[in-house]
């Protein structure tokens, strides 16, 4: 049986001044760190902002898709390409990506805060305390939420899908879920969870609940079919994104996937970053299980996002996967708010340090996801 989270009086909830101040701190810290590092180490800042997946998105925007790049789903690069074309193509794509993603992150923050300010009883989609906001905004790889990456777009769309489903708006939830499918592989999980939320949250008979679940599932499948058609017409391969991703690291057996849990695969290095990534992954898993006690579908979203990493045979993408799991991060931060002050501040300092190091690693070209 699901349990309700302890309610927080409206006057004790995080104020707009605090939330936007924390956002400003995040952006000033990250962009300031990147600018200083580029100047200090003698490389162009634009080059530092175009590492790893950012470089692939820039290639898609400027030159279009090629065979290996179909691994990156099309909605985000299409948006950047559209804006680039509207501006005449003179602005570097990584700059446009940073501006667009920062705006999307701000829209997410504004929407969550607006929902919290208008609700007497908060849902798991809004943090109850300042610590909930802190541990979301300063999660290890939160730099991806305002840089040339797909995370901010996916974050906003997944919020839209969950929030509309929570409030019982079928068609709005379907639109957001369908767009999620075009944005990231986790969009399939968003669609499943959105359908479950609609079936759970809107009163009705078992037949009505099933029809809502099946209806949103059908529309999400249709959106996925639209993406397949787009890929087929553009590349000649209707499953270009899956075939391109097949070259990514993965294991070929269930045993190999299970060995990921204790870093038991031969390619899993016990280096200074692999262990923290694994610890962060298990923290997210624990938070997801705790969230399931409050709301089962949202808890399932976190569990699925953890489980999908296991076939890769490593936790290399754990920090980036976790950056968009906002209901789990909100819950973890809120839970910490009830702990002793020495523990709260010790973990806050550790989180800030990890966020700083990973943000610094990205601009230097280190794998920071």
């Amino acid at each position: 049986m699901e349990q309700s989270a302890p309610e927080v009086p409206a006057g004790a909830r995080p104020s707009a001044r605090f939330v936007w101040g924390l956002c400003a701190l995040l952006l000033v810290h990250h962009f300031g760190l990147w600018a200083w590092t580029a100047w200090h180490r003698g490389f162009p800042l634009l080059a530092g902002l175009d590492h790893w997946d950012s470089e692939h998105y820039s290639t898609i925007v400027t030159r279009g898709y090629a065979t290996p790049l179909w691994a990156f789903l099309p909605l985000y690069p299409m948006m950047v390409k559209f804006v680039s074309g509207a501006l005449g193509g003179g602005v570097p794509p990584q700059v446009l990506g940073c501006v667009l993603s920062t705006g999307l992150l701000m829209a997410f923050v504004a929407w969550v805060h607006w929902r919290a300010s208008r609700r007497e009883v908060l849902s798991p989609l809004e943090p109850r305390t300042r610590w909930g906001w802190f541990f979301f905004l300063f999660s290890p790889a939160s730099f991806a939420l305002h840089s040339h990456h797909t995370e901010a777009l996916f974050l906003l769309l997944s919020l839209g899908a969950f929030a509309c489903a929570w409030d019982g708006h079928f068609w709005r939830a379907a639109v957001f879920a369908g767009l999620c499918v075009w944005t990231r592989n986790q969009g399939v999980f968003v669609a499943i969870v959105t359908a479950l939320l609609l079936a759970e949250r809107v009163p009705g008979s078992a037949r009505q609940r099933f029809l809502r679940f099946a209806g949103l599932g059908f529309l999400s499948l249709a959106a996925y079919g639209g993406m397949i058609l787009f890929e087929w017409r553009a590349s000649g391969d209707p499953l270009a994104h899956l075939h391109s991703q097949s070259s990514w690291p993965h294991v070929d057996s269930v045993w190999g996937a299970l060995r990921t849990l204790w870093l038991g695969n031969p390619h899993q290095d016990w280096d200074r970053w692999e262990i923290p990534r694994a610890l962060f992954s298990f923290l997210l898993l624990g938070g997801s299980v705790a969230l399931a006690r409050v709301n089962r579908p949202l808890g399932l979203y976190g569990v699925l996002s953890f489980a999908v990493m296991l076939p890769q045979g490593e936790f290399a993408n754990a920090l980036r996967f976790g950056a968009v799991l906002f209901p789990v991060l909100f819950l973890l931060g809120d839970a910490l708010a009830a702990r002793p002050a020495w523990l709260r501040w010790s973990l806050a300092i550790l989180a800030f340090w990890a966020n700083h190091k990973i943000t610094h690693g990205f601009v230097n070209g280190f794998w920071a996801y």
Side-chain angles (χ1 to χ4, degrees), residues 2-364:
E2 295 183 2
Q3 300 177 1
S4 299
E7 195 46 54
V8 177
R13 295 173 187 174
S15 66
R17 184 175 181 178
F18 172 83
V19 173
W20 290 115
L22 200 61
C23 289
L25 174 63
L26 176 81
L27 296 176
V28 169
H29 173 221
H30 286 185
F31 283 115
L33 175 64
W34 286 340
W36 182 88
T37 302
W39 173 80
H40 182 71
R41 299 213 170 181
F43 59 81
L45 177 59
L46 292 183
L49 295 177
D50 213 28
H51 285 141
W52 300 108
D53 287 4
S54 295
E55 181 181 6
H56 296 314
Y57 288 124
S58 293
T59 301
I60 294 170
V61 171
T62 56
R63 304 177 193 172
Y65 273 102
T67 299
L69 295 178
W70 281 108
F72 301 93
L73 301 191
L75 185 57
Y76 172 76
M78 287 170 56
M79 289 180 62
V80 178
K81 187 171 185 175
F82 175 81
V83 175
S84 178
L87 296 176
V91 182
Q94 64 267 43
V95 174
L96 288 178
C98 284
V99 173
L100 178 62
S101 291
T102 300
L104 293 169
L105 174 61
M106 295 300 99
F108 169 87
V109 171
W111 194 351
V112 172
H113 184 71
W114 175 82
R115 283 177 57 84
S117 67
R118 293 175 61 88
R119 301 174 70 89
E120 292 186 7
V121 178
L122 295 180
S123 75
L125 304 176
E126 305 94 30
R128 289 163 167 74
T129 68
R130 294 181 174 185
W131 293 97
W133 275 114
F134 175 83
F135 278 94
F136 162 70
L137 288 171
F138 285 88
S139 63
S142 65
F143 75 87
L145 300 177
H146 61 78
S147 55
H148 188 30
H149 291 86
T150 190
E151 270 71 13
L153 175 61
F154 185 78
L155 184 73
L156 183 63
L157 293 176
S158 60
L159 169 65
F162 295 156
C164 292
W166 190 273
D167 297 337
H169 302 302
F170 177 89
W171 289 106
R172 298 180 202 173
V175 169
F176 280 113
L179 291 174
C180 280
V181 170
W182 278 65
T183 308
R184 278 171 67 99
N185 292 327
Q186 281 170 285
V188 175
F189 302 153
V190 170
I192 294 170
V193 170
T194 301
L196 290 171
L197 279 175
L198 276 168
E200 175 188 84
R201 292 289 303 170
V202 182
S205 64
R207 179 176 178 274
Q208 291 171 324
R209 293 174 186 269
F210 173 77
L211 288 176
R212 282 193 295 272
F213 175 85
L216 193 131
F218 173 79
L219 293 173
S220 299
L221 186 61
Y224 195 81
M227 185 179 71
I228 288 176
L229 179 61
F230 169 80
E231 293 181 3
W232 184 28
R233 295 188 63 180
S235 72
D237 181 0
L239 297 176
H241 69 287
L242 293 179
H243 293 156
S244 295
Q245 291 172 15
S246 65
S247 63
W248 292 358
H250 63 281
V251 292
D252 298 322
S253 66
V254 174
W255 176 240
L258 291 176
R259 288 197 304 186
T260 308
L261 296 172
W262 58 86
L263 308 185
N265 289 306
H267 59 278
Q268 287 183 284
D269 297 325
W270 285 67
D271 60 21
R272 60 174 183 167
W273 286 117
E274 185 66 13
I275 294 174
R277 287 190 189 104
L279 292 175
F280 182 66
S281 300
F282 284 108
L283 178 65
L284 291 176
L285 178 61
S288 300
V289 172
L291 179 60
R293 300 180 64 187
V294 178
N295 182 266
R296 284 188 292 268
L298 291 176
L300 176 65
Y301 176 51
V303 172
L304 290 174
S305 295
F306 173 87
V308 76
M309 291 187 288
L310 301 184
Q312 298 176 1
E314 58 186 359
F315 292 110
N317 293 309
L319 307 182
R320 187 176 178 184
F321 268 47
V324 298
L325 297 181
F326 65 95
V328 179
L329 294 169
F330 285 161
L331 180 140
L332 289 171
D334 289 340
L336 189 62
R339 306 278 78 81
W342 68 267
L343 180 60
R344 291 199 307 269
W345 286 103
S346 296
L347 291 178
I349 293 170
L350 179 62
F352 188 90
W353 174 84
N355 182 274
H356 173 89
K357 294 292 289 184
I358 291 162
T359 303
H360 188 242
F362 172 73
V363 80
N364 280 307

